[in-house]
Amino acid sequence: MRVAVVGGGPGGLYAAALLKRLDPGREITVWERNAPDDTFGFGVVLSDETLGGIEHADPVVYAALQDEFVRWDDIDIVHRGVHHTSGGHGFAALGRRRLLEILHERCRSLGVELRFRAEAPAPAELSGAYDLVVAADGVRSLIREAYADVFGPSVEEHRCRYIWLAADFALDAFRFEVAGTEHGVMQLHAYPYAADASTVIVEMREEVWRAAGFADLDAQESVERCAKIFADALGGRPLRSNKSAWTTFRTVVNDRWSHGNLVLLGDAAHTAHFSIGSGTKLAVEDALALAASLQERSTIDEALAAYEEERRPVVASTQRAARASLEWFENVGRYVDQPPRQFAFNLLTRSRRVTHDNLRLRDAHFTTAVEREFGCPPGTPPMFTPLRLRGLTLRNRVVVSPMDMYSAVDGVPGDLHLVHLGARALGGAGLVMTEMVCVSAEGRITPGCAGLYTHRQADSWRRITGFVRAQAPGTAIGVQLGHAGRKGSTKLMWEGIDEPLEEGNWPLVAASPIPYGPASQSPRELSRAQLTDIREQFAAAAWRAARCGFDLLELHCAHGYLLSGFLSPLTNLRTDAYGGSLERRLRFPLEVFDAVRAVWPEERPMTVRISATDWAEGGTTGDDAVAIARAFAAHGADAVDVSTGQVVADERPEYGRSYQTPYADRIRHETGLPVIAVGAISSWDDVNSLILAGRTDLCALARPHLYDPHWTLHAAAEQGYEGPGVAWPKPYRAGSRRPQTGRTDAPKPRLSLET
């Protein structure tokens, strides 16, 4: 087999070495346009997991790396002049130039041909002359661009400028420092990579960079200016560059990683922001997976498919974490008013890979100190601290999110609703929310949706709130009121979600006459008189809800339903006073809110659920979401329930763990309004992390509560918590300990004999 590797970075070199080691008969050539000792970075960080893979695949390279690594455990965070240290993290780093030298030596010893200062032949020529072509030619890969129509690359440029520098001394920890300057916030990322050297990255938003005058400075002036800004971190020492220049980070994603006998590797295939230190790690792991796949599969086509199948989910997960970290640093100015220790915790958990529980294992002293400053009594996890909204005090921060049961008859909730909501109220959550309760028969999503527009419906809801009050004292129950708008008259979820009914349809109304999907019924645009009627329907339902004994009312202005349809520019094309600018699109939802607030008891809180983004071009933006939240707050909303999407059928959500939380985080910090975070929050560790970092005030969980109605009680038991933030119902108290399981550990030997 003849193999061409284009790009002499760590990923390309390591792939060449592994492929040659596994089959010495392979003819392998590496093309690198730069000189052997050219490198544009300084230090490289590798994880223990990556090192374990290297050790298994090539002990010679591993041994050479082991001799060079600088290791440390601490992360230092400096904010507003206050220095906090968190330990137990475990890093290993070495100089990038030394890493390349080790890989050069290994390639040469194995018989790999290295061609430096040499441009590789054209991709088509390589593909025809070699059995396999590995494109490890970086972010601006020429091979990827030559076949862009096949690989389908997406390259996103981000909002911060950064510069990669070095200092000639070794820091004793990974250091993050935030400097508040007259021009805005700047941040430093720095870590040791040798006994006498450290990598130093200085980063700031583009507008801060320009305001500070960096655009007008030459390279040396920039270096000197950075050293002056972060003089305390550097101990007054200078910084140095290596052809360093200010740049912006680019996130690379590809639809495909291979084409014929061409395969992408490392930054050519994907990038992950430097703030989680995964670029070299991913490239090296790509090389390991590619070599293994070629060894295990009988054809190149099969091997490249297996390589991509193995690596793509790992890379996607890393890129999600990297994006969360990148966006946190892009918006670090949002958090500078946090107390320094909470700011440090927020920074450490920014990527959602390090969590509250994980950080406690690493550094219990630091985590306990953050909890104490937050207000957690001793032994109390953050999720079990109370929260007051108006006259209602929730005993913990867990919300059972609204979940449509599609099981009502003529809008009347039945036994299933009683059992569903009653069981979850007994399960320990601070607040249990009903499904979207419709304000009219025409406002239902499906024939099975519950309502609150008749006395019979109200009587049935009163039965449910009475059960919660009597059997789960301390648990609040809230009602979510809404109108389906253009998304109504559809089948039950399990019969075909969002599909129109085959018979028994009712007419639909909406802000504008736009059907939800290609097969959906077209709604009628609401007239002024109809708007008044619907506003009064909401008020009447709220009046009934108050008399049913609900503790909290949420107005549903999300997910493309009627009020959401007014807010989004994609679904509101009106030319009257209720369409056009955001201020005008807000007019009807605010009228409804005011009408509901007027009949809802003053001491009981009201929240609003919004879709903070439509996940579609031209739709609601993050800036819009902040403005919408501010508008509702000005009218008396006590909290905003921050969801996303489901407004248009052709949305493209970016799913991932707690993927909607950044929108809640932004609204909370920019408006000061309490928020409820939702969306793929699945563990009590996530809840603790989000609450303690100050990204949300409450966490709403749906699917976890379908899987386990007693999710909150079990969260308390698993954390050993028995305080006032949760209460086991007396009949269930015997189950407050995790049941024993069969023994899985073998008896330990009684004697240990040395020979």
Side-chain angles (χ1 to χ4, degrees):
M1 178 186 284
R2 301 185 74 226
V3 180
V5 178
V6 182
L13 290 170
Y14 193 50
L18 286 176
L19 291 172
K20 188 68 172 177
R21 179 174 182 267
L22 290 170
D23 185 351
R26 287 171 175 153
E27 178 188 320
I28 300 177
T29 305
V30 177
W31 275 272
E32 170 54 52
R33 68 178 64 178
N34 297 304
D37 56 351
D38 280 351
T39 179
F40 303 102
F42 295 96
V44 172
V45 178
L46 293 174
S47 69
D48 288 341
E49 180 184 19
T50 305
L51 292 174
I54 293 173
E55 181 181 20
H56 181 75
D58 194 334
V60 173
V61 171
Y62 178 78
L65 293 176
Q66 283 289 85
D67 292 339
E68 302 288 339
F69 273 129
V70 173
R71 294 184 178 272
W72 72 99
D73 289 324
D74 291 346
I75 295 177
D76 289 343
I77 298 162
V78 181
H79 170 49
R80 297 200 323 222
V82 180
H83 186 138
H84 288 294
T85 298
S86 173
H89 296 278
F91 295 97
L94 78 163
R96 183 177 176 87
R97 181 170 292 172
R98 182 59 188 136
L99 172 60
L100 292 177
E101 288 172 353
I102 290 170
L103 294 173
H104 292 160
E105 292 166 8
R106 184 58 172 153
C107 283
R108 289 192 182 99
S109 71
L110 292 167
V112 173
E113 181 182 357
L114 302 178
R115 297 185 182 181
F116 295 105
R117 300 186 183 89
E119 291 287 347
E125 184 180 341
L126 285 172
S127 180
Y130 287 83
D131 300 298
L132 176 67
V133 180
V134 179
D137 51 344
V139 176
R140 293 174 171 82
S141 169
L142 295 178
I143 293 178
R144 183 188 68 222
E145 293 310 308
Y147 295 98
D149 58 326
V150 178
F151 291 121
S154 169
V155 181
E156 181 182 0
E157 202 158 344
H158 296 283
R159 302 168 68 179
C160 282
R161 291 269 185 168
Y162 70 95
I163 190 168
W164 207 288
L165 304 170
D168 292 325
F169 74 101
L171 288 160
D172 56 8
F174 203 128
R175 184 180 180 107
F176 293 104
E177 183 165 339
V178 174
T181 74
E182 60 183 314
H183 307 293
V185 176
M186 304 178 187
Q187 58 255 22
L188 171 142
H189 313 241
Y191 57 88
Y193 68 85
D196 58 355
S198 298
T199 290
V200 176
I201 304 170
V202 177
E203 182 186 28
M204 65 198 75
R205 288 279 286 261
E206 172 84 19
E207 60 268 28
V208 176
W209 181 78
R210 292 193 178 280
F214 280 108
D216 302 319
L217 301 181
D218 64 26
Q220 186 55 35
E221 289 171 332
S222 277
V223 173
E224 292 171 359
R225 181 82 177 277
C226 289
K228 184 176 180 180
I229 293 169
F230 292 102
D232 287 345
L234 301 171
R237 302 176 181 89
L239 290 168
R240 60 181 169 86
S241 72
N242 178 19
K243 302 178 183 178
S244 305
W246 291 99
T247 188
T248 54
F249 189 80
R250 303 170 121 212
T251 295
V252 175
V253 177
N254 284 276
D255 293 338
R256 293 184 58 184
W257 293 2
S258 66
H259 170 50
N261 64 346
L262 299 170
V263 63
L264 304 179
L265 183 145
D267 284 354
H270 46 70
T271 59
H273 192 248
F274 57 80
S275 61
I276 67 167
S278 290
T280 301
K281 172 184 182 293
L282 286 176
V284 168
E285 290 176 351
D286 281 356
L288 285 163
L290 178 61
S293 295
L294 286 163
Q295 197 73 4
E296 295 163 355
R297 305 290 172 152
S298 57
T299 69
I300 287 178
D301 286 348
E302 291 175 352
L304 299 188
Y307 156 72
E308 183 170 347
E309 183 180 3
E310 176 184 339
R311 292 296 295 155
R312 186 175 282 280
V314 177
V315 168
S317 175
T318 303
Q319 287 189 310
R320 284 193 295 269
R323 176 174 285 274
S325 179
L326 176 155
E327 291 178 349
W328 194 94
F329 281 110
E330 279 187 340
N331 299 296
V332 67
R334 187 180 293 163
Y335 309 110
V336 293
D337 292 332
Q338 286 189 309
R341 192 173 270 114
Q342 186 183 44
F343 176 89
F345 179 87
N346 196 354
L347 185 153
L348 291 170
T349 58
R350 67 194 181 279
S351 73
R352 303 193 281 275
R353 286 197 157 186
V354 175
T355 62
H356 171 266
D357 198 45
N358 180 267
L359 196 56
R360 176 176 291 285
L361 290 174
R362 299 180 188 209
D363 191 340
H365 177 77
F366 171 80
T367 307
T368 300
V370 181
E371 292 172 346
R372 184 170 59 247
E373 286 191 4
F374 181 80
C376 299
T380 301
M383 66 185 292
F384 293 116
T385 56
L387 179 72
R388 187 174 180 83
L389 297 173
R390 246 177 233 243
L392 175 66
T393 297
L394 301 175
R395 65 184 176 193
N396 62 54
R397 307 300 185 98
V398 179
V399 179
V400 176
S401 200
M403 292 176 276
D404 284 314
M405 295 290 103
Y406 305 107
S407 300
V409 177
D410 295 327
V412 178
D415 289 346
L416 186 140
H417 295 82
L418 173 66
V419 173
H420 168 70
L421 294 170
R424 280 141 191 90
L426 291 170
L431 172 64
V432 176
M433 293 296 301
T434 68
E435 62 192 83
M436 185 177 90
V437 176
C438 304
V439 298
S440 68
E442 296 77 17
R444 292 174 298 163
I445 309 167
T446 76
C449 288
L452 196 42
Y453 47 88
T454 70
H455 293 304
R456 186 172 167 222
Q457 292 163 358
D459 289 343
S460 192
W461 284 118
R462 193 174 295 110
R463 175 189 178 215
I464 292 169
T465 59
F467 176 90
V468 173
R469 194 97 49 225
Q471 302 299 328
T475 296
I477 183 166
V479 62
Q480 184 188 72
L481 294 183
H483 186 297
R486 71 186 190 130
K487 294 180 73 176
S489 192
T490 62
K491 297 177 181 178
L492 304 182
M493 180 182 67
W494 46 86
E495 294 176 350
I497 191 167
D498 294 327
E499 293 181 11
L501 291 170
E502 294 175 2
E503 57 182 22
N505 286 281
W506 54 87
L508 302 181
V509 294
S512 297
I514 307 170
Y516 178 69
S520 300
Q521 181 187 155
S522 291
R524 289 179 288 111
E525 181 171 300
L526 286 161
S527 67
R528 172 64 265 190
Q530 289 173 312
L531 292 175
T532 300
D533 289 344
I534 288 176
R535 184 190 67 203
E536 295 310 310
Q537 289 170 357
F538 271 96
W543 181 86
R544 291 188 181 93
R547 279 144 189 80
C548 288
F550 286 105
D551 300 297
L552 175 147
L553 186 148
E554 180 166 281
L555 190 64
H556 201 334
C557 298
H559 298 168
Y561 298 123
L562 182 70
L563 299 181
S564 171
F566 275 87
L567 293 174
S568 172
L570 297 177
T571 52
N572 184 346
L573 305 182
R574 299 174 73 101
T575 57
D576 62 3
Y578 294 95
S581 67
L582 177 59
E583 182 180 7
R584 288 163 65 165
R585 299 198 307 272
L586 268 160
R587 184 176 175 184
F588 182 61
L590 289 174
E591 285 183 3
V592 172
F593 182 93
D594 290 342
V596 170
R597 182 72 266 183
V599 300
W600 185 246
E602 177 65 23
E603 73 280 3
R604 299 186 208 177
M606 268 187 69
T607 64
V608 179
R609 174 169 275 206
I610 66 169
S611 285
T613 177
D614 294 340
W615 299 116
E617 186 175 352
T620 299
T621 67
D623 290 343
D624 293 337
V626 171
I628 290 167
R630 283 200 175 107
F632 280 110
H635 283 247
D638 299 291
V640 176
D641 188 353
V642 187
S643 187
T644 64
Q646 301 179 52
V647 175
V648 292
D650 59 347
E651 66 177 2
R652 299 189 66 181
E654 297 174 4
Y655 292 119
R657 184 160 137 255
S658 59
Y659 69 104
Q660 297 177 131
T661 300
Y663 294 94
D665 185 0
R666 178 178 179 183
I667 288 171
R668 184 180 192 273
H669 282 91
E670 292 190 20
T671 68
L673 191 65
V675 297
I676 305 169
V678 305
I681 302 169
S682 56
S683 71
W684 50 259
D685 194 17
D686 286 340
V687 175
N688 284 328
S689 302
L690 295 170
I691 298 295
L692 192 57
R695 295 179 198 139
T696 188
D697 299 277
L698 294 162
C699 288
L701 300 92
R703 287 178 177 84
H705 281 113
L706 290 178
Y707 181 77
D708 179 4
H710 303 109
W711 185 89
T712 308
L713 292 178
H714 293 154
E718 289 168 12
Q719 295 175 82
Y721 174 72
E722 297 179 349
V726 69
W728 282 82
K730 291 179 181 178
Y732 289 1
R733 194 164 292 164
S736 61
R737 293 183 180 180
R738 183 191 288 266
Q740 293 184 355
T741 59
R743 183 172 180 173
T744 58
D745 58 320
K748 295 180 179 179
R750 296 185 62 193
L751 295 174
S752 178
L753 301 177
E754 295 184 3
T755 58

